[in-house]
Amino acid sequence: MHVITFEEPGLVRVGLEPPVSLEPGSVRVRTLYSGVSAGTELTAYRGTNPYLSRKWDTERRLFVEGQTHAYPLAGWGYQEVGEVVEAAPDVADPPVGSLVWGVWGHRAEAVVPAAKLTGHVLPPGADPLDAVFARVGAIALNAVHAADLHLGDQIAIFGQGVIGLLATRLAVLSGARVVAADAIPARLELARGYGAAETVDVRSGSVAEFMRKRVEGADAAIELSGSHQGLHEAIRTVRKGGRVVAAGFYQGDGIGLRLGEEFHHNQVQLVSSQIGGVASWLSHRWDVERMQRTFMELVHRGEVAVHDLVTHVVPAPEAAAAYELLDKHPSDVLQLVFRFEE
């Protein structure tokens, strides 16, 4: 069965791995589509992911000397969709023949605990390609929840890639007035289609100054570009006591992030949002599983459109060229999906 592997920085191989035995309580899933999270996966492709140079101590929740992961890295997929082709005798749900979404990596087939697929069966008539957005949609929803939005809030969202566009739509559904910021005009046009009231091309203007010409500053900002300069501008954009949700995956030193300026003088709240958990003040009611299911329900009801965000569907054997495209020409791609064929 095909599996996509990062052999070393910049080197991708599509090889074969043997089938895994079906264990009690599990199902065998044959992959149809596997979505790429460009930000996270490019850190593995480029060799900048902190797990490659530091060890994550799960008990102390600190990065320490060592290494969490090492090359080769096999099956770093972010969100998969497939058909259940076999089930252990003790499994009735999900049934054989059903289409399910989950996380099992960029591989043609996987054995998955059935419990991890509870509630992940696609309804009749649903497009399986839409389900590659379950996890990135949950990331966007998590960031919107962390912003603690209220009806009528003025919010700026930095970065209108896939997750930023989904966050724009979810913030609008939450009752906020959204100003979307990006450097790519086509993405700003999509943001308007997702409900952004106004857009700012960051190449030609300051979002902070734009907001202050209209209001005293944003009530909240969500930063999803992964740029330290973007985070600094998000901090400048919010009003005194405003909240900034840092939801991008920032790499390296924070060049351009100056915490002695607006952050200090405006008493800005800076909150991190990451898909490993939900905002602490919501954890008694929400978890990541509920985030994913909620997002997929919005998709199935037609309240969030995702299909047009898919710009590239690439056969899995062409993975090396796909990652090179993401690395060298990121503005040409929104959602890239690998297609697995039997």
Side-chain angles (χ1 to χ4, degrees):
M1 297 294 176
H2 282 116
V3 59
I4 298 172
T5 302
F6 298 119
E7 292 288 345
E8 59 185 57
L11 179 61
V12 177
R13 180 177 64 87
V14 182
L16 297 174
E17 61 182 3
V20 177
S21 300
L22 190 68
E23 301 290 338
S26 65
V27 296
R28 189 181 307 278
V29 183
R30 185 162 296 153
T31 308
L32 299 175
Y33 299 109
S34 185
V36 175
S37 176
T40 299
E41 293 189 44
L42 282 179
T43 67
Y45 179 78
R46 295 168 175 163
T48 61
N49 192 288
Y51 285 123
L52 296 169
S53 58
R54 304 278 285 172
K55 183 174 178 59
W56 176 242
D57 186 322
T58 56
E59 292 185 3
R60 293 192 295 163
R61 300 198 64 79
L62 289 172
F63 278 101
V64 297
E65 293 299 324
Q67 194 177 40
T68 307
H69 297 307
Y71 293 104
L73 302 169
W76 261 49
Y78 216 73
Q79 181 68 65
E80 287 70 53
V81 185
E83 180 185 2
V84 177
V85 294
E86 185 181 7
D90 60 340
V91 172
D93 183 32
V96 172
S98 59
L99 298 182
V100 295
W101 52 269
V103 179
W104 55 83
H106 294 317
R107 45 176 42 90
E109 182 183 288
V111 170
V112 183
K116 288 188 175 294
L117 300 177
T118 301
H120 291 202
V121 177
L122 291 178
D127 188 334
L129 193 58
D130 290 351
V132 301
F133 291 91
R135 192 163 178 84
V136 292
I139 293 171
L141 182 56
N142 205 20
V144 169
H145 278 195
D148 193 25
L149 300 185
H150 302 272
L151 184 65
D153 272 352
Q154 305 276 339
I155 180 172
I157 299 181
F158 290 77
Q160 294 297 305
V162 171
I163 299 175
L165 287 165
L166 295 177
T168 292
R169 178 60 181 157
L170 294 170
V172 170
L173 290 176
S174 300
R177 185 182 188 277
V178 175
V179 172
D182 202 283
I184 302 173
R187 295 186 180 183
L188 294 176
E189 183 63 30
L190 282 169
R192 286 188 282 273
Y194 270 47
E198 296 183 274
T199 59
V200 178
D201 188 328
V202 298
R203 299 171 301 171
S204 58
S206 162
V207 183
E209 293 177 6
F210 179 89
M211 291 297 292
R212 279 175 171 77
K213 288 178 182 177
R214 288 154 174 77
V215 291
E216 295 179 15
D219 296 292
I222 298 175
E223 208 300 304
L224 280 159
S225 73
S227 160
H228 291 102
Q229 292 92 340
L231 182 57
H232 183 72
E233 185 68 4
I235 289 170
R236 294 184 70 233
T237 297
V238 296
R239 61 175 64 209
K240 183 177 181 180
R243 173 172 294 183
V244 173
V245 177
F249 192 10
Y250 306 95
Q251 301 293 296
D253 295 331
I255 298 173
L257 178 60
R258 301 185 297 279
L259 299 180
E261 299 180 5
E262 288 84 4
F263 175 72
H264 183 73
H265 288 78
N266 287 335
Q267 299 171 291
V268 173
Q269 302 174 42
L270 182 57
V271 177
S272 172
S273 177
Q274 195 262 354
I275 196 58
V278 303
S280 58
W281 58 92
L282 295 174
S283 60
H284 62 294
R285 294 189 288 117
W286 284 84
D287 57 19
V288 174
E289 177 64 20
R290 184 181 176 189
M291 290 271 183
Q292 294 183 122
R293 291 192 196 181
T294 297
F295 180 79
M296 288 308 300
E297 288 169 6
L298 292 170
V299 171
H300 296 324
R301 293 203 300 263
E303 296 184 54
V304 178
V306 294
H307 198 84
D308 290 343
L309 297 180
V310 178
T311 54
H312 295 73
V313 179
V314 178
E318 300 175 17
Y323 282 108
E324 184 176 7
L325 174 66
L326 283 171
D327 186 37
K328 301 292 177 52
H329 305 283
S331 63
D332 294 345
V333 186
L334 267 174
Q335 182 63 60
L336 188 146
V337 178
F338 291 124
R339 181 178 71 247
F340 286 83
E341 298 173 340
E342 187 176 352

